Structure formats: C-alpha cells, structure tokens
Amino acid sequence: MAPYIKSPFVIRLEINLLLVALTVLGLLSRLWSLSHPQAVVFDEVYYGQFISLYMKRIFFLDDSGPPLGHMLLAMGGYLAGFDGNFTWNRIGAEYSSNVPVWSLRLLPAVSGALCIPLGFMILVELGFSTCAGLVAAFLLFFENSLLTQSRLILLESILIFFILLAFLSYLKFNRCQQSSPYSMQWWCWLLLTGLSCAFAVGVKYTGLFSYLLIVGISSVHCWQLIGDRSLSNVNVLCNLLARFLALLLLPVALYLGIFYIHLSVLTHSGPHDHIMSSAFQASLEGGLSRITKGQPLEVAFGSQITLRNILGKPVPCWLHSHKNTYPIRYEGGRGSSHQQQVTCYPYKDINNWWIVKDPARQGMVVTSPPRVVHHGDIVQLVHGMTVRYLNTHDVAAPLSPYSQEISCYIDYNISMPAQTLWRVEIVNRESDTDTWKTILSEVKLVHVNTSVSLKLSGSALPDWGFRQLEVVGDKVAQSSHQSLMWNVEEHRYGLGQEQMEREQEFSSPSPIDVGRNLSFLARFWELQWKMLTLRNENTEHKYSSSPLDWITLDTSIAYWLHPKSTAQIQLLGNHVIWYSANASTLLYVALLLYYLLRQRRGLCDIQQGSWQTLQLTAVLCLGGWAVNYLPFFLMEKTLFLYHYLPALTCQLLLLPPLLEHIHRHLLRSEVLKNTFSALLAVWMSSIFMTFWKLSPLTYGDPALTPEELRSLRWKHSWDILIRQR
C-alpha cells in the first residue's frame, strides 16, 4: 500500500428495521388491490379531468387550490403512458383499458403509507419513547378514513404527507440547532422544512395553515436566540438570515416555480379561457390567439373593435347593441329615452363590433398612415351593424336608477340632442402619451358631457332586453373598479367606405401581425387572483357537512357503489380512534392548564425537560389540529368530511404522548400501571376490530348483505347504501 494512504475509505450505513417494517406494512395496506374498483370514485371525476387536460396540455383553472397536486397526479399518468383520452363525466363510470388506474392512484397511496413511519419518527423526535411512536403508527395505520382517502386519485394523503414531513424536518433541524448548528445536517433539515412547506401549500391552500404554524414556532425560537447572550451578534444574524432564506424565500421561489411549470405545460386553449383576460387568452395556442392572429396592435381612428369588460362577472361579456329599443316606460312607471338598447352580451356576435370614429371627420376608415388613439383623446363609438352612435344623457338606467342609461342615439326630433363624445382614459398606462393598444390596454370610456363612465352593472335585463346584462353610466368619476374598465379584444383596420363593405370586413382579419405575449409574472398574478376570487355557484351537495359534524363523526360520504352488487366504498372514520382523539385533546388541554396553575403557585410536578416536551408537543400537534380545523368555520364554501383529515392526523399524534405521560408521571403504583396497560390492550383491540368491521366499506370488497350493511350503520346519519332486492 502506498505510504500516503493512511486509511481506507469507509461508508457506514445504518438501517432502522422498525421504520422499514412500518413502511412495508403501510405500503401493503395502501397498495393491496389498488386498481379496485375499475370505476370512477367520487372526486376522481374531478381530478381525472385535470389529469386528461395535462396530458393534452390544455389550459384549465381550478379555484380549489394551486396546481402542484394536480401535476403530481398527472405525472403518474404521464409515466404510465396515459394519453388523456377518457371522459370523466360521472361517478361510477367504468375505466377504459387505456386508463392506468394503478399508476394514477399510486402516488396518493405511497404518500398515505409514508405518513405511518413519519408519525412514528415525529413522536420519537419530540422525545417520547419508541412505544409511543408505535402507538401513533398503529393509529395512522388503522384509521379507516385515512386509508380510504389514500387509495384513490385524491390529494389529501399527499397534503398530509408534506405537512408531517415539514413537522419532522423542523424538529430535526431544531435538534441540530442545539448540537451542531450550521452543519450539513442542519442545512439539509432546514431546507427540507421550507421545501415541504412550499409543497404543502402547493398541493392545497389549506397547507398554508401548517406552514404558518411552523413559521410561528420558528419565530419564537428566533426570539429566544436573540436573547441568548452566549451567541455573538454575527451568529444570531446568520441564523436569522438562514431561516429567512429557507422558510420564506425558498417557499416563495418554489411556489412561483410550481406555477411556472404549470403554465409552461398548459400552452393550449381550453374550456376555462373565457374566465381569463383577453391578453392571457391570446398567450395560449388556439382559441382567441387563433382568432386575433394578425391583429394591429394600436387602435386608430377608423378601427373596428370589440370591447370586453375586464370584470368578467357574472360572466365574461362584450359591449353590444341591436335594433331593439328600450321600452317607453320601465316597471314602476319610470320613463326611458326609448333609444336603441346597449347591453353587455356574453357571447361573440356580429353585433359586438364598434367603429372608433374621429368626431372631427366624417369618414370611418383608417387613413394611411393610421392616426392612432392616445390616452385622453376624444372619440365617438359607432355601432357597426346599425351605424348608431354610443350615447348617454340624464335618463335613469333601467335597473340602476342612480346611474345613467346607455343607448345608441336615435333622432326622434324631441329636443333630446345627441351626446356621443367619449374620452379614452388608459388606466394601466405608463405615461400620458400612451396609445390605446389591442388586448393590452385597460381603458375607461368617460362621457364628455356628463362625466359618467361606461360601466357593467352586472344585472340581467328583463325579457325586453333578452336577459342580457345591463350597461350604465356610472357617476363616480374617480372609481377604478374593474366593471368600469374595458379592453379591445378583436381589432381590424376599417377600409370600407360603404356599410356593406364594412360588414364584410368584420369577418376578415388584417394581415398585420403583432406580438403580445404576457410575461410569466403577469400571467401568474392574473391566474393567482382568479383562483382566489373565483367562486363557483355550487348548490348544497348531498354529502356536504359542517365542521361540527366532523368531530363527532356524524357524517359519511358514499364514494362508490357497485352497479349490480352491494359492494361500496364509504369515507368513514374508525369511531374508536375518532372519539379517543377528541378525549385526548380535552385531557391534554386540561393537563397543561393544571401544570400551569401549579407552576404559578411555585410547585413543579415534572422536570423542566418533560415540561418543555409537553409544550412543544402541544404547539405542534394541538396547534396543528387547531390551524387545520378552526379556519373551516370561517369559510363560505361547500365542505366535506375529508377536509378534516389533516387536523385529525395531528390530533392522533397527540394521543400517544398523553398516554405515555399518564403512565410515567401520573400513575404511581405498579398495580395502576399494569391496569392501565391492560386497558390500553383492550382499547387497541377494539380499534383493530372496528377497523376490520369497516374494512369492506374501506376497500370496497367484499360485497356485504343488506343485513350486514344495516349492522354497520352505527349512526343514523351514516349514508351506507343498501340496495333493495
């Protein structure tokens, strides 16, 4: 051997066989007969549609949460070669042979299985015994609702996995902070905490609650570091910067990265285009980009345009007129101008075309070179098909009496002169010399004579207005609400002198091409805003429930029913575990209050280390339950039992520490400890028996007789389906 080689290169590998066993058992329970049933189960009809759209790279918008969970589910389909050709139109529809059911359900199943060893490791890392960790793993293993949710194309098990991984990573990091700060392990666990938090939020917005909990715990620890005089100022500053980088900047960067991948993949026009702005739609392939390809960028005098309202509520619509007039009198007896109706129409139509006319000239064609319209210019808008001018005057609107009626002027020769001048105000301008641009410019049209602004009121007109949306003149001049803003969507340079020629031009695009691609950040902010503000008008669902129903397990969800037999899948909790978890929460709070009162009296019943462990466990597990449960009381959305599963998981982790503390610190004699151990054995046996009884409803196999199903309806509110013979 060469003299400069002092020792051989050594790799040490340690394997925790207990963790391996828990992982294997978890995988077996979640992967067993994973392809059953070969039919769409409950919300698989919802997530499956998004998977198919990913496979075809078609844009969609889901207001329920960010896209990471959808992308992870779609990755299973992509790796299995799924082409997206399946119609997810109803629950119970049989999967065709081209749908890789096992692959699509694999990631949720693996995530649910890994939650079992994670629960074990969290309790051990908190300072509790291996037995306590095994009890936590036992509870997570035999909780029927967690098992059911993890075996389907759903997101809750993935969300819970990232939440638990974030908890464990931060605990590992906190231990390294005490023993080996700034080591490789210290950095790895800190960065993994930020990554897990970002992914939890990326799967569902409710992951934000757990993320804020970890940020709060870290903030308290930072405050303690600042008060530690044994650390130098540089050391404290470096620690704060590291946490800021890993727990704030990294999650934000990853969150942006998730949307960057999402928008990079979904490049084709899709079913949700109409929700987005014209500029966003034009950035997608097909759809509006196909219609508007070759449009001129700058609006000029003589341009033929369609004007879309920026608000897009209650539905996207375009400024519209037709030959019909307002009724002489509205309901209630108020008189109208009896002028030509102007509305906002939610469909593309030839009556949506308007001509931008220079008030100082008679012609309605674009000159050469074009005279573009700038911010502050005065224009007239001429309806393309009826050649009547957009007009308003001091007459109350049909449904909004405090606003002015908008019409197209008809000269009845009754001393009501035309007032057809409008000032173009570009709201998103960079300077006062900006030009009016197709798709990009958001403009207010301000009436010169009365100073009202063209506005979409959102109210639907009566039958005389064909149920189209009301457009009014808003008198609040300084308002900047989106209902006041319009953008040019379709645009052509008008060249025809005669009306017949102009009508033919409405269907002939200009050959001039122009690029109008939005930046990633512009698309991100628009998509994020739409996701946060879009609210579907959902009626009350048959299986919806309130948060109060969850803690008492007064609700269930029928996920699937075999078309011929009584085989079915139900989202049901193991009620022994459920009520035990509720009791543990109350007892743990009572125990903490008891110790706090005793300490206030100067009496210390337990060592300081045990007290700190109890506190950290309460903050992490009890706090995790609270932040994942209590916010649902404030949400105005349709809620289901599965929304409670992240909170339930945190609650289950609180139960073993309470049992261990009672056994070690509160029971003094061996007789009491042995009796307590015997009761625990009976309790765990009842959990297993309950799990076994409900397992046919968890796995959807085997089919039970009507009598057996009735015997499992332990609560009248459980909707177990019994097929009549």
Side-chain angles (χ1 to χ4, degrees), residues 188-263:
C188 287
W189 289 118
L190 178 59
L191 293 174
L192 185 57
T193 303
L195 183 144
S196 303
C197 289
F199 284 179
V201 178
V203 170
K204 280 200 168 187
Y205 282 129
T206 51
L208 179 65
F209 304 139
S210 298
Y211 170 52
L212 293 178
L213 176 64
I214 289 180
V215 170
I217 295 173
S218 180
S219 300
V220 173
H221 288 164
C222 287
W223 185 252
Q224 293 172 347
L225 285 174
I226 293 173
D228 189 349
R229 298 293 296 274
S230 64
L231 300 176
S232 65
N233 292 337
V234 174
N235 193 332
V236 171
L237 181 61
C238 290
N239 213 303
L240 296 178
L241 288 176
R243 292 171 190 248
F244 178 78
L245 170 69
L247 299 182
L248 292 176
L249 290 186
L250 178 62
V252 170
L254 289 173
Y255 189 76
L256 287 172
I258 291 168
F259 277 89
Y260 183 83
I261 297 172
H262 176 71
L263 292 172

Side-chain angles (χ1 to χ4, degrees), residues 477-509:
Q478 301 302 318
S479 176
S480 59
H481 193 265
Q482 285 187 329
S483 60
L484 294 162
M485 291 185 275
W486 305 79
N487 74 275
V488 173
E489 189 170 88
E490 296 182 66
H491 174 209
R492 300 175 178 95
Y493 279 168
L495 302 175
Q497 298 284 351
E498 302 297 328
Q499 176 64 12
M500 186 68 69
E501 295 173 340
R502 287 194 291 265
E503 291 180 9
Q504 291 177 350
E505 286 177 339
F506 293 153
S507 57
S508 303

Side-chain angles (χ1 to χ4, degrees), residues 650-664:
C650 296
Q651 199 178 27
L652 296 184
L653 297 181
L654 193 67
L655 183 51
L658 176 66
L659 297 175
E660 181 170 298
H661 185 81
I662 292 173
H663 187 269
R664 285 189 175 182

Side-chain angles (χ1 to χ4, degrees), residues 380 446 540 606 638 663:
Q380 290 176 309
V446 181
E540 191 72 11
I606 56 176
T638 306
H663 187 269

Side-chain angles (χ1 to χ4, degrees), residues 64-66 156 159 163 200-201 203-211 627-628 631-632 635 637 643 646:
S64 67
E156 275 64 35
L159 171 63
I163 290 175
V201 178
V203 170
K204 280 200 168 187
Y205 282 129
T206 51
L208 179 65
F209 304 139
S210 298
Y211 170 52
V627 299
N628 283 290
F632 285 105
M635 293 185 185
K637 59 179 290 186
H643 286 119

